[in-house]
Each structure stands twice: as C-alpha cells, then as structure tokens.
Amino acid sequence: MTQTIKFKILALLTIILLFGGVILGSSQYFNDLQAIEAEKKSSFLRFEQVYHSSLLAQVSKLKMAVELILNDPKTIQNFEEKNREDLANSLVTLFSKRLKPEFGVYQFQFHLPPATSFLRVHKPAKFGDDLSAFRKTVVQTNQSQSPTIGIEVGRAGPGVRVVYPIANEGKHLGSVELGGSLFEALAIASKIAEVDYSIGIKTQVFASAKRFAMKEKDIEYQDMLLYYFSSEAANSVSKKLKSTSGQDEISVNGKSWALGSIEIKDYSGKVVGKVFLFKDITANYAQLTKVLLLQGMIIILA
C-alpha cells in the first residue's frame, strides 16, 4: 500500500514537472520567436531610416555645390556665350579635386533648353546629344525654370539629381546638373543595419530611360528587373524570390533570410522600383534550437 502511494506521488510529481516544463519551454519558444520578429523589423526600419537620412544629406551637399557654382559670374558668362572650352577649363579641375571627393558628385553637366547636353564636366569630350527622351528632370527644369531635385532613373540606373536653371538678368539660359549616387546611401544603411539588399527597377521605367543593354545578372521579378546586388548572398536570395509567394522568410543555401522591401520614389513622387532587403537570421534560429534542446534536457533530468 505504501509503495503504491509513493508511486502515485512520484508519478504525479513527474507529470507536474513535465507539464510545467512544457509550459515554460513553450513560453520561452514563443518569446524567442517574438524577439526574432522584433529584430527583423528593427533592422529593416533602421535600414530605411539611415537610407533616407543619407539621401537627404547627399541632396543638401549637392544643392550647396550647385549654388556655389551659380554664384560665379565667370561661369554664367562662359555658359551664356557658349564658350565650352573656357567653361571646361575652369571647372574640370574643380570637379576632380573638390566636387567629386568632397561633395560626392559623380555627374556634372550643363544643358541648353530643352535638354541638349552642352558640357559634361565629368566627360568633356561628349556633348551635343539630345537628352529630352529620357532625362525628364532636365526637361522639367528648363520648362518650369525652377529646380528639380530627387531620384531619377537614367540609362545606367537610378541616381540622385539636383538640376537648377541658369539665368542672367532675367534671361533663361539653360540648366546645370549635379548627380550623386544612390549606392552611397544604400551602402551606409546596409553597413549600419547589417542588411543585404538588391535593387529592382520597373521594366517600363528602364525602357523609358533608354537603359543600356541588359546585364547578365539581371533577374526578372514581378514587373521589375533586379539588376544590382550588395553581395553574392543577396544575388542568391534574389533568384529565389519568385518562390516566396508572400512569405517573409526564405531558406537559401542552408541559411535563413528575413525578407523586406522599401519603395524607390523618383523626383515626382512616382514609385519606380524597390530595394529588396535581406537579413540573415540563421544564428537567431540556431540559438533558439539550442535553448529548446537545453530545456528539454533539463526536463528529462528532472
């Protein structure tokens, strides 16, 4: 009789321990899942915030550089007189020594209305071509005679454009443009948020921009072409996006990746593409599995 009571007590304690362990383990499991979800959202939000802040900082530098250029009477005079040689001589060194390294300027160009290239300071030998079919920021600036600022998709992809009208004594002469790199802002965001990414531009937008020939690494996805990848891992994940079917995570080459995206809007507010975000959460799930196994061992020992 005594042995039967002891057995029942031990059996009851065992059931209580097992039940309690399962409850605690389940609670810990769901808490860890929520922590992983919170980290994903936090990383993507951090990427977006840094990206937008970096873009604003870049635009501010470009605007400052344009305004300095337009405050030089000699520059205005050379442009008005269509003196390409003197204009180039006075600005090519400025571009290479200051504007590019200090202000992040990659493209520096003067245009005659409505959008004819008068001087590419970054490439002086090429001029006289009509840009009106694919450089809408230039056309808009010369039509409105007011600045146009923001992202524009050009023949090589999206870039940050600051296009200002040039006038002298009330007479509109044309426009000047400084172009920055979208990749700079993305690279900063990627490093700080520890997130990989790929850039997708709408196929129709690329067609309108008269994009250079398609590249071998281009990936067709939805109505976009994914053409730039921050890493080989980003390229591998991008290739698998078609099979996600609305999922927010994907497994590629033995690793788990969280998926996100942010829209790319041009100078007019139109959505022209997306930045697809990829966060490696393999280590997070490995830690989750480790904790579950440890809890299981404790329950068994108990």
Side-chain angles (χ1 to χ4, degrees), residues 200-202 205 224 262-265 270-275:
I201 298 297
K202 290 189 175 184
V205 172
M224 288 171 282
I262 56 176
E263 293 179 334
I264 300 175
K265 294 184 179 180
K270 177 184 176 182
V271 176
V272 293
K274 286 184 178 181
V275 181

Side-chain angles (χ1 to χ4, degrees), residues 156-182:
V160 183
R161 315 290 190 198
V162 171
V163 190
Y164 270 48
I166 303 176
N168 190 22
E169 297 181 353
K171 178 185 176 183
H172 179 66
L173 306 175
S175 57
V176 60
E177 167 197 357
L178 294 187
S181 172
L182 193 69

Side-chain angles (χ1 to χ4, degrees), residues 202-221:
K202 290 189 175 184
T203 307
Q204 186 57 48
V205 172
F206 259 150
S208 298
K210 310 295 183 185
R211 185 200 181 199
F212 296 123
M214 288 179 62
K215 310 299 181 182
E216 293 181 359
K217 286 190 175 182
D218 281 356
I219 297 172
E220 294 183 14
Y221 177 61

Side-chain angles (χ1 to χ4, degrees), residues 87-221:
L87 189 61
N89 289 338
S90 66
L91 294 174
V92 167
T93 301
L94 174 68
F95 169 72
S96 60
K97 298 292 185 181
R98 286 202 62 195
L99 295 181
K100 189 172 183 179
E102 294 180 23
F103 289 86
V105 177
Y106 291 90
Q107 184 169 306
F108 183 7
Q109 186 168 190
F110 290 84
H111 325 94
L112 298 175
T116 299
S117 176
F118 176 74
L119 170 67
R120 288 177 171 88
V121 181
H122 60 285
K123 193 185 296 184
K126 184 178 181 181
F127 58 86
D129 46 320
D130 184 4
L131 313 175
S132 56
F134 50 89
R135 291 302 316 280
K136 302 305 180 185
T137 53
V138 178
V139 174
Q140 179 171 302
T141 296
N142 281 295
Q143 285 180 343
S144 65
Q145 297 181 25
S146 60
T148 304
I149 299 168
I151 292 172
E152 182 178 37
V153 178
R155 302 195 70 181
V160 183
R161 315 290 190 198
V162 171
V163 190
Y164 270 48
I166 303 176
N168 190 22
E169 297 181 353
K171 178 185 176 183
H172 179 66
L173 306 175
S175 57
V176 60
E177 167 197 357
L178 294 187
S181 172
L182 193 69
F183 302 118
E184 182 180 325
L186 290 170
I188 294 171
S190 177
K191 183 177 181 179
I192 291 176
E194 297 182 335
V195 169
D196 289 283
Y197 67 90
S198 64
I199 303 175
I201 298 297
K202 290 189 175 184
T203 307
Q204 186 57 48
V205 172
F206 259 150
S208 298
K210 310 295 183 185
R211 185 200 181 199
F212 296 123
M214 288 179 62
K215 310 299 181 182
E216 293 181 359
K217 286 190 175 182
D218 281 356
I219 297 172
E220 294 183 14
Y221 177 61

